[in-house]
Amino acid sequence: MPKSSLEVIVEWTGTTLFAALTERLFQEGYGRKTLIFLLENFSTELSDKLCGEKYHPKPDSNYRRAGSKIRTLGTRFGRIKVRVQRVRDIT
């Protein structure tokens, strides 16, 4: 049986309102799992950019990973729980 796959490309080039993102996903026919996936990946990419890859921190960075926290967000798809990466400023 063939496996299904989904490829979604989102460019975070400027300020994107959360409401606009959820509305666009809704219009395109995507669901809450896609929204959760996008938000968690964005959080991971941002912490990688600030701190370096997991277990390979940037030696010259002022930021360190500080675990993660689950946040509940109200969206067009109902309430969703998203794991957000925490980053600590060590200066």
Side-chain angles (χ1 to χ4, degrees):
M1 177 180 278
K3 293 183 178 181
S4 61
S5 66
L6 171 67
E7 181 177 336
V8 178
I9 298 173
V10 177
E11 293 184 24
W12 304 92
T13 56
T15 303
T16 302
L17 296 178
F18 184 67
L21 176 64
T22 56
E23 181 63 28
R24 182 63 187 264
L25 288 172
F26 181 77
Q27 290 172 355
E28 296 291 328
Y30 296 110
R32 62 191 295 140
K33 287 185 180 181
T34 305
L35 178 60
I36 293 168
F37 176 79
L38 287 173
L39 294 174
E40 288 181 350
N41 278 344
F42 177 69
S43 174
T44 301
E45 286 178 17
L46 185 58
S47 63
D48 285 349
K49 183 178 178 181
L50 292 172
C51 306
E53 292 184 36
K54 197 170 186 178
Y55 306 116
H56 302 286
K58 291 181 181 178
D60 58 339
S61 177
N62 292 333
Y63 302 101
R64 292 290 181 256
R65 292 177 185 274
S68 62
K69 188 171 188 174
I70 295 179
R71 297 285 187 177
T72 302
L73 305 173
T75 70
R76 182 179 184 108
F77 302 110
R79 290 183 175 257
I80 61 171
K81 293 189 179 199
V82 179
R83 182 176 300 278
V84 178
Q85 300 297 316
R86 298 174 75 185
V87 175
R88 180 170 290 133
D89 184 352
I90 60 169
T91 57

